[in-house]
Amino acid sequence: MEIIQYNANASNTQRQLGIVAGGKQKSTERLSSGYRINRSADDAAGLTISEKMRRQIRGLNRASKNIQDGISLIQTADGALGEVHDILQRMNELSTQAANDPNTKSDRGALQSEIHQLKSEINRISRTTQFNTHTILKAKQLVEINGDDYAAATMDDAFYGLGNRPPSRVVYGKTLNFSNVNANNKLDMIGKKFYVTCSQNCGQVFTFTFSDKTTSGISMQGENLTVDIGIKDTAINDGTDIVSKIYDLIVGKQADFISQLQTLRPNWTNIFQDTIIGHANAVTANGADLTFYSTLFGPTYAPGMGQVRATDLLQLDGAFRLQVNDNPYQEITLNLKTINSATLGLGTLDVSSFETAGQTMKDVATAIKNLSDYRSYLGAMQNRLEKTVTIVDNISENTQSAESKLRDADMAKESLQFSKSKILEQFGQVMLAHNTQDNDSVLRLLA
């Protein structure tokens, strides 16, 4: 039967041609993009797995760079510490030379001068060695001591016209700077303390403590002084408030101090123009700076005159956490120590006699050992991180290979599919044209 309303063969051919064209389009898309999955409809489950792997791969690649940053940090620190080691070896050489009595006093003075300069250079290296603006040989302190971290700091920094002294008068002291203390971290001061003494051999001790109280106070026991700062006092919000509180408490005790000293040392009248805390020390405040200084005789008049012992105020370690994997909280912690003359145990380094030079030799030997131990730790950490980065890179590579099998197009297979679709499309078009010609036979019935 000849019909014209519906050409089943042509419709079927057209439908098949549409399927082939769609397949060809997908093959074209995969060949041009290189991916088997270009949209979620291509493989819904495969897309989910692939994206999860992609997250892992990119996280691992970033973690690898994190580890390499850590290695670079260690290398920077170790390079600086290598110079410190050289300085210590030179100090050892100088102190050994000084421990030789054929040296004259001037000879030992020259040796002493170089040792002091080398000690200052160690502290400068500690302050200035940085990686990505992070100071890596000196932990950030809540309380700074003249820019260096001295556990026992002799008051050997010169100040002119300090306190009520005329501008021409030189006094020697140390400054505690509390500017890093603020309302957010002030509670970290709780439990810390520092001491001030008149000299190494002096029994007079002034104790400054920071408690969790809401009030502050000061007391005297003989010649000793105790100041307690209640950090939870609502009036204390930053380091300037702490300095003001300490200074005000001391000023409030001046009448008692002066009365006591006038009885104990009636010939000492020139020190009463200062805000004193003992028979040889005074204090002045300027913003967040609290300076303790010697009131007598200018330079040190006794061994280690005027010491600020502030170990409790010092943060000797700083932790750098390296994210070493694609999952959160998978870190390796690099513990960086404060390395300077105090933490190395160098002390006063006096080479003025055979005995003191021998002690300096011992101190330098201890410092060399301490530094060697720390550099050994850094070297071990670098070796560990190098192994870690190798593992992370290996995991990333294998995960990327697995993700590629899911997501990437098989180019040979897609090329074959594209060729097949193209041939079928061409034949489909020929068949469609042929099937539309079948209706021409109806016209012959009318002829």
Side-chain angles (χ1 to χ4, degrees):
M1 182 178 68
E2 299 291 346
I3 58 177
I4 63 172
Q5 295 294 336
Y6 179 69
N7 188 334
N9 289 335
S11 296
N12 180 266
T13 301
Q14 186 175 14
R15 180 175 64 82
Q16 295 294 337
L17 186 59
I19 295 172
V20 170
K24 178 186 173 186
Q25 181 183 357
K26 287 186 177 181
S27 294
T28 301
E29 193 174 58
R30 289 168 180 167
L31 287 170
S32 60
S33 69
Y35 291 116
R36 183 180 69 87
I37 303 174
N38 290 288
R39 57 180 63 82
S40 58
D42 291 340
D43 185 349
L47 177 73
T48 300
I49 299 170
S50 173
E51 288 296 341
K52 182 170 62 176
M53 287 185 171
R54 280 189 170 186
R55 179 200 65 79
Q56 184 179 10
I57 292 164
R58 295 183 68 166
L60 289 169
N61 290 342
R62 183 61 259 181
S64 176
K65 292 182 174 65
N66 291 349
I67 299 167
Q68 290 166 5
D69 286 343
I71 292 172
S72 297
L73 186 153
I74 290 174
Q75 290 172 333
T76 302
D78 189 59
L81 294 177
E83 293 302 315
V84 175
H85 246 144
D86 287 343
I87 290 172
L88 292 175
Q89 295 293 357
R90 176 58 178 165
M91 282 183 168
N92 178 64
E93 186 178 37
L94 292 170
S95 58
T96 303
Q97 182 179 353
N100 197 32
D101 280 341
N103 286 307
T104 66
K105 184 177 180 179
S106 62
D107 292 337
R108 282 183 166 138
L111 294 169
Q112 182 74 69
S113 177
E114 183 174 351
I115 285 177
H116 279 162
Q117 291 299 321
L118 292 173
K119 181 179 177 181
S120 296
E121 179 60 15
I122 290 175
N123 291 325
R124 190 198 67 81
I125 291 172
S126 172
R127 293 193 306 270
T128 60
T129 301
Q130 293 186 336
F131 178 82
N132 192 29
T133 73
H134 287 289
T135 302
I136 57 177
L137 297 182
K138 175 178 176 292
K140 183 178 180 181
Q141 307 297 319
L142 273 180
V143 182
E144 301 281 357
I145 306 178
N146 280 26
D148 288 324
D149 298 322
Y150 293 102
T154 302
M155 295 179 184
D156 55 4
D157 290 315
F159 298 90
Y160 293 86
L162 192 63
N164 294 318
R165 300 285 174 170
S168 60
R169 174 65 190 272
V170 179
V171 296
Y172 291 78
K174 281 291 178 186
T175 297
L176 304 184
N177 178 273
F178 290 81
S179 61
N180 289 334
V181 181
N182 54 53
N184 295 323
N185 63 24
K186 70 173 189 175
L187 296 183
D188 292 342
M189 293 293 296
I190 294 175
K192 298 184 183 301
K193 62 179 64 176
F194 68 94
Y195 307 90
V196 178
T197 64
C198 56
S199 73
Q200 280 182 343
N201 303 321
C202 181
Q204 197 176 43
V205 178
F206 315 110
T207 306
F208 298 81
T209 63
F210 301 89
S211 67
D212 62 354
K213 300 176 184 176
T214 58
T215 59
S216 302
I218 185 171
S219 61
M220 291 177 58
Q221 299 85 31
E223 287 191 284
N224 296 328
L225 169 73
T226 300
V227 177
D228 181 67
I229 304 301
I231 292 297
K232 290 186 177 179
D233 185 343
T234 55
I236 294 179
N237 295 304
D238 55 28
T240 299
D241 295 335
I242 290 175
V243 169
S244 296
K245 182 68 70 172
I246 293 174
Y247 188 73
D248 290 345
L249 289 170
I250 292 173
V251 169
K253 210 71 174 174
Q254 283 301 286
D256 293 338
F257 268 126
I258 292 173
S259 175
Q260 180 191 72
L261 289 177
Q262 284 175 332
T263 301
L264 294 173
R265 294 171 173 82
N267 295 327
W268 291 10
T269 59
N270 63 327
I271 67 171
F272 299 136
Q273 62 182 298
D274 300 280
T275 303
I276 60 173
I277 59 171
H279 71 267
N281 294 335
V283 63
T284 186
N286 180 21
D289 286 339
L290 189 67
T291 301
F292 296 92
Y293 62 97
S294 166
T295 62
L296 295 176
F297 308 120
T300 54
Y301 71 97
M305 188 193 106
Q307 287 196 333
V308 179
R309 302 205 304 270
T311 305
D312 279 357
L313 295 183
L314 304 180
Q315 180 180 336
L316 301 182
D317 297 322
F320 278 75
R321 291 172 295 183
L322 306 175
Q323 178 67 31
V324 297
N325 211 310
D326 61 298
N327 293 319
Y329 312 117
Q330 294 191 2
E331 78 277 1
I332 290 177
T333 300
L334 177 62
N335 292 313
L336 298 181
K337 295 182 179 296
T338 295
I339 298 296
N340 57 27
S341 59
T343 59
L344 290 174
L346 288 176
T348 56
L349 301 183
D350 183 6
V351 295
S352 60
S353 68
F354 177 83
E355 289 76 13
T356 59
Q359 182 59 49
T360 296
M361 290 173 63
K362 290 175 61 177
D363 291 343
V364 171
T366 299
I368 291 173
K369 179 184 182 302
N370 291 339
L371 184 57
S372 297
D373 290 344
Y374 181 52
R375 290 187 69 190
S376 177
Y377 164 77
L378 290 179
M381 286 300 298
Q382 180 174 337
N383 290 337
R384 177 185 178 184
L385 291 177
E386 287 174 351
K387 294 297 182 183
T388 303
V389 77
T390 300
I391 294 170
V392 168
D393 288 345
N394 182 269
I395 295 173
S396 174
E397 179 183 342
N398 288 317
T399 305
Q400 194 162 356
S401 176
E403 193 270 344
S404 174
K405 294 173 183 176
L406 276 173
R407 192 119 182 188
D408 291 355
D410 184 335
M411 302 302 283
K413 179 181 177 181
E414 291 301 333
S415 296
L416 180 62
Q417 184 64 37
F418 176 78
S419 298
K420 173 184 174 183
S421 297
K422 187 174 181 180
I423 293 171
L424 289 174
E425 183 182 41
Q426 291 173 348
F427 272 98
Q429 290 171 348
V430 172
M431 290 301 100
L432 181 60
H434 178 73
N435 288 329
T436 56
Q437 290 176 359
D438 288 346
N439 288 338
D440 292 344
S441 62
V442 178
L443 295 176
R444 287 195 293 272
L445 295 175
L446 300 175

